[in-house]
Amino acid sequence: MSRGTPRSWRAAALLVAAFLFVPAVPAAAEPPPPPAGAGEDPGGSGPTGAGQELDRLARDVAAARHTAEAAEQQYTAAAGELAQRRKESADAARQADQQRGRLTEAETEAARLVAEQYRNGGLGSLARLFLADRPEDFLDRQQRAASDSRSAAAVLRDLREARNRMVLLSERAGQAEQSASAAADRAQRALEQARQGAARTEQVLAAATAEQLGRLDQWESALADGAARQLAAAANAAGPGGGASAAGRRAVDFALAQRGKPYLWGGTGPDAFDCSGLTSQAWRAAGVPIPRTSQQQWAGLHHIALRDLRPGDLVIYHGDAGHVALYLGGGAVVHAPHTGTVVKLAPVTMLPILGAVRPDPDAPPEPAPPAAGPAAAVPPQ
């Protein structure tokens, strides 16, 4: 695919540089505009109608992709919850069945004791003593009867406890089944929303011309290449993992090794990833399991100020936490962008930022590794 004119390429590079050399990350950065120079009047009079159309297309595509990805993340979370609820329901049902068997055994034993007492009734103890052929045998039976009486009390107590536990476990099994049913409904709704978002994205892309799609691809490539150059420059000074914790550096190494692998909804590797699949697997490889989706990562991990970002931290995007990337340092992140792309680098300000989280807030940063030398530590894609 064409990389565009030198004029548009230089403009895009300047745009990337403007993003990357800001002293602090804004708390709610606006998404970058579409490819600079696209559709401009050669005479310098400003954007033409074609440029305005491309601007609208870029924003429509970004909005549609955001809607789809946020719904995909919600479905992934709902599907995970459904699997957990089904497991809990199955476990509760199995425990209820086991307790039902114990209750049956207790009822059988209680019935045996009642029948035995009935059979041993009749004459009083003194009369049976006088009529016994061997009084000593009668006294032995009386001792056994006293022992049986104590056993009967224990059986009745077990029966009572078994019945109470049976009621409790049956209620728990019913509640677990209801929870699983509700989780299934949520997962189905999230799936439908994700499909609608994907369909909307396809509609927007189908309405674009080949030239417009090429410009959008050029824009994304410019962002990735600019971020890679900025990260390489930072790596030459402090190393790509400078300031990271030991686990954070391992997460960075894992995420960088996945560059070029395709985006896949629900993907957790090893061959394809979605945005949170990449970040969760990077930290799992670092020995720190974290929640699966971007919304769960935002809700469950330690929040940090953007000015305190260090390599390995997660940057969360959009007000609904619909996207996540792993911070590399040098104003760059690595992420799995959307369907049709691959894992790549981008400037941290590529999308509106919601905030940042740190999976290992208690781990101290380690000394920066030796400088990478004149060669770029992280070559452009």
Side-chain angles (χ1 to χ4, degrees):
M1 184 174 290
S2 172
R3 303 296 285 182
T5 65
R7 174 187 178 91
S8 64
W9 178 258
R10 286 195 298 272
L14 289 174
L15 172 64
V16 172
F19 282 130
L20 294 176
F21 284 96
V22 292
V25 181
E30 289 296 324
E40 284 187 357
D41 183 350
S45 59
T48 65
Q52 294 174 352
E53 289 179 5
L54 186 57
D55 178 81
R56 285 194 297 270
L57 173 63
R59 296 184 185 279
D60 287 347
V61 169
R65 283 172 173 166
H66 165 226
T67 299
E69 185 176 31
E72 290 171 3
Q73 292 290 295
Q74 291 170 359
Y75 171 72
T76 299
E81 180 191 7
L82 174 58
Q84 178 63 26
R85 293 291 179 267
R86 282 177 170 167
K87 180 180 182 300
E88 291 172 356
S89 179
D91 289 344
R94 183 174 61 256
Q95 291 175 6
D97 285 341
Q98 292 173 349
Q99 188 60 32
R100 192 172 291 111
R102 296 189 186 100
L103 177 58
T104 300
E105 293 175 359
E107 289 175 338
T108 300
E109 180 64 12
R112 184 190 66 78
L113 287 172
V114 169
E116 185 174 337
Q117 288 180 359
Y118 178 78
R119 286 194 303 271
N120 292 337
L123 297 175
S125 299
L126 185 59
R128 291 200 301 275
L129 174 60
F130 286 135
L131 296 175
D133 293 333
R134 291 172 53 83
E136 61 272 20
D137 292 341
F138 172 77
L139 294 175
D140 288 342
R141 287 196 299 271
Q142 286 295 94
Q143 290 178 346
R144 287 195 300 272
S147 177
D148 288 344
S149 177
R150 288 192 295 272
S151 298
V155 168
L156 292 175
R157 184 183 64 251
D158 291 345
L159 177 59
R160 249 188 337 267
E161 292 176 353
R163 284 174 176 168
N164 291 338
R165 186 164 176 77
M166 181 69 241
V167 171
L168 177 63
L169 289 175
S170 295
E171 292 177 350
R172 187 178 300 171
Q175 292 170 355
E177 180 60 29
Q178 291 177 356
S179 296
S181 178
D185 291 341
R186 288 192 292 273
Q188 184 60 38
R189 287 195 298 270
L191 178 60
E192 292 172 359
Q193 291 174 358
R195 286 172 173 168
Q196 291 171 4
R200 170 60 181 158
T201 303
E202 291 298 325
Q203 291 172 359
V204 173
L205 293 175
T209 65
E211 180 182 1
Q212 289 173 328
L213 295 177
R215 293 284 189 177
L216 288 176
D217 181 73
Q218 170 194 330
W219 176 46
E220 290 188 348
S221 297
L223 292 177
D225 291 347
R229 287 193 295 273
Q230 176 67 10
L231 182 60
N236 285 334
S245 65
R249 187 165 61 251
R250 290 194 295 270
V252 165
D253 291 343
F254 177 92
L256 285 175
Q258 313 313 310
R259 285 195 303 165
K261 293 184 178 180
Y263 178 97
L264 176 65
W265 176 14
T268 56
D271 299 321
F273 298 87
D274 66 12
C275 68
S276 59
L278 176 65
T279 55
S280 61
Q281 290 302 307
W283 274 97
R284 180 177 293 275
V288 183
I290 64 174
R292 168 63 179 86
T293 69
S294 58
Q295 290 98 342
Q296 292 170 335
Q297 290 167 5
W298 173 247
L301 298 177
H302 178 76
H303 289 216
I304 59 169
L306 294 175
R307 63 179 176 272
D308 296 329
L309 277 171
R310 72 185 187 189
D313 291 341
L314 306 183
V315 182
I316 310 296
Y317 296 93
H318 299 296
D320 57 5
H323 189 71
V324 61
L326 190 141
Y327 187 65
L328 300 173
V333 295
V334 60
H335 71 140
H338 52 75
T339 300
T341 60
V342 298
V343 175
K344 62 177 64 177
L345 271 59
V348 69
T349 51
M350 61 179 173
L351 295 169
I353 296 174
L354 176 61
V357 294
R358 178 167 295 163
D360 60 342
D362 298 327
E366 291 201 335
V378 182
Q381 300 182 95

